[in-house]
Amino acid sequence: MSSEAPVVVVVEPETPGNVGTIARAMKNFGFSDLKLVNPPAIDRESEAYGFAGHAREDVLPDAEEVTFDFVVENFHTVGFTAITNEDARRHVRFPFTTPRQLADSLARVETRTALVFGREGTGLSNAELERLDEVCSIPASEEYPVLNLGQAATVALYELRTLTLGRGVEDTQLPDVERERAAEADIDRFYDFFESFLSQIEHRDHKREKTMRMLRRLVGRAHPTEREITTLTGLFRKASERVQPPEKQQ
């Protein structure tokens, strides 16, 4: 993994709100260096600070205004675009990579990289893309592949988060799913209560066997948690207690 996180560059953003949204996404996924090319006026009363969340404390106020030439001359550049309807005969928007592929590629090189996003309405022009080193596109519906600026940056930075947070980033917030499944003894106990309930409402052996087999397959795929299996066990235990055998209902 590169020791220097990529910088995020936004070319001629039209609204302060989108700048704030991008700053917030950067904060979420471990990016901190925001550079703006010909941005609108941004003050602390603008939408930018309203949309930035905790990024209003550092990412946004530390943002640097630069020129497009400065970015091209000082960084390995990756331009983001939704329109990639070209082939090997032209190389303005082709070949292109996806953010996930880009994350794997950049993790293997030591370089100063700039992730370059364009305008809300028109994105990056062909003239600008021609000056960038790589092109990246977010896979989306062929009928409507265009994301707005804030969405595109958020999706891209999420996919690139391993460049800033490391490969073990999921471990910082998500539970260890391999240890969340209930103990097998508890699951077997649930099966016992369910089978007892089933024997009281279904007296055909082949039906009970088929239902138990289906239940095992269902629970096996679901990987229930301890709380889930305890709740289900209690439910069928009470149901079994309340269901009277047919001979006692006469």
Side-chain angles (χ1 to χ4, degrees):
M1 183 175 69
S2 175
S3 60
E4 191 168 357
V7 305
V8 176
V9 179
V10 187
V11 177
E12 297 185 353
E14 298 167 14
T15 62
N18 269 324
V19 176
T21 298
I22 293 172
R24 179 170 185 156
M26 291 174 61
K27 184 79 171 180
N28 288 145
F29 303 121
F31 297 83
S32 59
D33 194 344
L34 174 61
K35 300 189 185 300
L36 305 172
V37 176
N38 193 24
I42 297 176
D43 56 54
R44 290 190 174 272
E45 303 303 318
S46 70
E47 284 186 340
Y49 278 83
F51 290 178
H54 287 182
R56 70 170 66 92
E57 300 168 1
D58 43 27
V59 178
L60 193 54
D62 292 343
E64 178 185 12
E65 186 170 346
V66 298
T67 65
F68 191 81
D69 288 342
F70 171 85
V71 175
V72 171
E73 292 167 4
N74 289 276
F75 295 90
H76 170 77
T77 51
V78 182
F80 287 78
T81 178
I83 307 301
T84 57
N85 54 343
E86 294 183 355
D87 55 30
R89 292 171 296 181
R90 299 189 62 194
H91 290 275
V92 176
R93 300 174 186 267
F94 183 92
F96 61 90
T97 187
T98 66
R100 186 169 299 180
Q101 293 168 332
L102 181 66
D104 291 337
S105 172
L106 292 181
R108 296 192 295 267
V109 298
E110 189 73 26
T111 182
R112 298 182 70 201
T113 299
L115 311 174
V116 185
F117 298 88
R119 305 157 188 82
E120 288 90 334
T122 58
L124 295 168
S125 68
N126 280 354
E128 289 165 340
L129 285 170
E130 286 176 348
R131 299 184 62 193
L132 303 182
D133 299 307
E134 294 188 68
V135 176
C136 188
S137 183
I138 297 170
S141 168
E142 185 177 352
E143 294 181 0
Y144 191 43
V146 181
L147 284 71
N148 71 34
L149 176 58
Q151 288 176 321
T154 300
V155 171
L157 296 177
Y158 166 77
E159 291 286 11
L160 296 169
R161 67 196 184 283
T162 54
L163 298 176
T164 57
L165 303 177
R167 292 288 176 181
V169 57
E170 283 78 7
D171 297 337
T172 64
Q173 290 179 299
L174 304 183
D176 185 350
V177 294
E178 293 182 355
R179 299 184 181 181
E180 283 295 306
R181 179 180 164 95
E184 296 306 314
D186 292 335
I187 295 176
D188 284 340
R189 182 166 171 264
F190 161 68
Y191 289 147
D192 290 340
F193 278 110
F194 183 84
E195 190 168 19
S196 175
F197 169 77
L198 193 60
S199 67
Q200 292 175 295
I201 64 172
E202 176 56 74
H203 294 275
R204 290 167 293 184
D205 290 344
H206 72 283
K207 286 285 189 179
R208 292 203 306 271
E209 291 173 2
K210 181 178 180 181
T211 301
M212 285 301 302
R213 188 164 57 249
M214 291 174 61
L215 179 71
R216 285 181 178 276
R217 297 294 182 269
L218 177 63
V219 174
R221 295 195 305 271
H223 300 298
T225 64
E226 179 181 354
R227 181 175 182 180
E228 290 169 339
I229 209 68
T230 298
T231 299
L232 288 173
T233 299
L235 175 65
F236 282 100
R237 177 178 58 79
K238 292 178 181 178
S240 183
E241 291 171 354
R242 294 190 179 188
V243 174
Q244 296 295 321
E247 60 269 16
K248 293 185 179 181
Q249 295 178 359
Q250 298 176 352

